[in-house]
Amino acid sequence: MTNYRHYSHYLALFGLLVVGTILRFWHLDLKPLWLDEVITAIFSLGNNYQDLQLDVLIPLQQVQNIFTFRPGVSCSQIAENIARQSTHPPLFFCVMHYWLGWLTPLGENWIVKLRSLPALFGVGAIAAIYGVNRIAFSAKSGIIAAALMAVSPFAVYLSQEARHYTLPMLFISLSLLILMQIQRDLAQEIWRLWVWLLWIVVNIIGFYIHYFFAFVFFAEIVTLLILIKLYNFQLFSKSKFFLTILFSIGIVVLSFLPWMLITLSHAKRTETNWLDAPSIISPFYQILMNWILMMIFLPIENQPLIVVIISGVLILAFAIFASWRVFRGLKQLWIKPATHLPTLTLLSFTGFILLEMIAIAYLTKKDITSVPRYSFVYYPGFCALLAASLSTNQNSRSFNFKIQNSQVLIFTFVGFLSSIFVVYNLVFQKPFQPDRIAQNLNLEPSSPVMLVSIYSNYQDAVLGVSIASALEQIRSQNSQPDNFVALSPDPNLDAIWKKISQLPMTVKSPRNLWVVGRGMRRQSFPQQLLLSNQTVCQLDPQQHYRIGVRHQLYRCEGRIQ
């Protein structure tokens, strides 16, 4: 009987890993690359912003040239590109470069290959969160944690992004797993050097993956100090414990010193200025909304009003039910002596990360809580607590046991349904919506199109590339001579219209000329544009859109007589 339970337990874990893998790899190429994913592609392929063809009119098909893999590029070269042109640590991009090199030639399915590694890291995080709850609570709790992460719409969304979210989420889960083992060792009066060294190594790697790992490390240090303060562990003197903590901090900080000056320079860059300042209470209700989206997300983005109302009511109803169930479960975990300590550890870990994020929002006036994807930094702690609360039962009566199992099934089913909506791009839709913009730009499929993207910095230029790439995918079977150009408004916006008039018209004049620009206003667009071959393009007031970024159509149908 014991062997059967042991076998069925790991069979269940394997099944959850299979389900998680299917959800994460399903339709990986369905959604268009958005700005941040294009940035990932540029650096991971061994290129940099200097490889962008700016202020030059090119055939639309040539936009894909920036997505060409450059062999022979070393990690140090990628790190140099990241140091000069980005605001992130380099390790994720180096790993991506070697992964893409292993998959060359990339071919037409290069977007699937680009997103496949983050998807794999997402599957790895399922196994890691199982380990967290198995060590902290029980094997049953570990299975529930794996199930919740496998079908979480938030986790599936991050896994289908070609960004550095699932890799740090995996290492955060591993770091949390080791933290729970340290807490367990302290309770059992065991001290193992290899556990502490492994924890140090995981944190060192984490710092080179994502800057937010500093939140994790600080929260874990504070949590350990709280544990030793509140509980009279007899393992060794407090001075020895503090020395161990100081040693760990010292090794991690010393290991990050080579990148420290670059980190300080990144903190001063303008790329993060897009974040808005928080209002008095906005971080708090945004955090609550992010918690809900980790469990359920039904279609409300760009949907008919009736769909939005129905989805909103269902989300609210489930949120109320989940709050009641989780609160009751956490209360039970807190009361029981056997689960009090790991519950305190997880609450402290997750709570301090949230406090850090709130403090950053108010002190820097950049509200990082307003961006759901940034919640990856505490999601493993949230998932572990959610699973633990669902694994509790008030007594062993079979009726209550069945109710408990049915509640777990409800959470799993709701997550699975939400994840299907993620896969089909009905929720967690891409920022700036390049696919919807491209559909607007393809207003007349049989007419030649010229796309003019206005950029003030490299991020704007990359945004234009993401839109052009989405448009090229729609019109790839079209034989029309489509063109693309990214123009800088230097010294002012009026220079854009002059530059358009100076573009060499060596091919057939476009019938439709679209101007796309972030920060543009409707009155910024002139009534007509003149091309170098004397073709006049008139503004079409019926074709002005604010979806994603403003884009305006000009119809080019005649020449100056």
Side-chain angles (χ1 to χ4, degrees), residues 381-396:
F382 175 89
C383 185
L385 286 168
L386 177 62
S389 69
L390 293 178
S391 66
T392 59
N393 57 298
Q394 294 185 353
N395 54 54
S396 58

Side-chain angles (χ1 to χ4, degrees), residues 176 179 212-227 230 287 291 343-360 368-369 377-378 381-382 385:
L176 182 58
L179 176 69
F212 282 9
F213 219 92
F215 296 166
V216 175
F217 188 60
F218 178 81
E220 290 181 333
I221 293 294
V222 174
T223 297
L224 287 171
L225 293 176
I226 289 174
L227 289 175
L230 293 180
I287 287 173
W291 289 355
T343 303
L344 172 64
T345 304
L346 285 170
L347 285 172
S348 174
F349 169 81
T350 308
F352 275 105
I353 292 179
L354 288 169
L355 287 176
E356 292 172 76
M357 295 182 72
I358 293 170
I360 291 291
I368 57 178
T369 67
V377 71
Y378 67 85
F382 175 89
L385 286 168

Side-chain angles (χ1 to χ4, degrees), residues 42 78 85 87 201 224 277-278 312 314 320 325-326 342 373 396 401 440 443 465 487 513 519 542 549:
I42 290 173
I78 293 174
Q85 299 183 344
T87 56
V201 170
L224 287 171
L314 291 175
I320 294 172
R325 182 61 183 88
V326 171
R373 60 184 181 273
S396 58
F401 179 75
N440 291 339
L443 178 67
V465 170
L487 297 177
L513 187 153
Q542 302 300 317
V549 292

Side-chain angles (χ1 to χ4, degrees), residues 323-340:
S323 300
W324 165 78
R325 182 61 183 88
V326 171
F327 176 77
R328 193 180 71 167
L330 289 178
K331 182 179 179 181
Q332 200 170 346
L333 290 169
W334 186 265
I335 294 173
K336 288 184 177 180
T339 57
H340 177 75

Side-chain angles (χ1 to χ4, degrees), residues 13 16 126 129 142-152 383 408 411-412:
L13 177 60
L16 292 171
I126 299 172
I129 201 66
I143 287 292
I144 296 175
L148 293 177
M149 183 174 282
V151 301
S152 166
C383 185
V408 173
F411 275 80
T412 305

Side-chain angles (χ1 to χ4, degrees), residues 446-509:
S446 61
S447 299
V449 171
M450 177 188 292
L451 172 59
V452 177
S453 174
I454 300 174
Y455 74 94
S456 299
N457 50 51
Y458 281 128
Q459 284 195 323
D460 287 346
V462 171
L463 175 60
V465 170
S466 70
I467 296 170
S469 177
L471 179 61
E472 193 276 333
Q473 290 183 28
I474 293 177
R475 297 177 64 89
S476 59
Q477 305 301 322
N478 197 319
S479 60
Q480 296 295 335
D482 302 323
N483 293 278
F484 169 71
V485 62
L487 297 177
S488 170
D490 185 24
N492 52 51
L493 189 58
D494 290 336
I496 290 292
W497 321 124
K498 183 178 180 181
K499 290 178 180 179
I500 290 176
S501 69
Q502 296 172 346
L503 293 173
M505 293 290 106
T506 58
V507 297
K508 183 179 178 181
S509 296

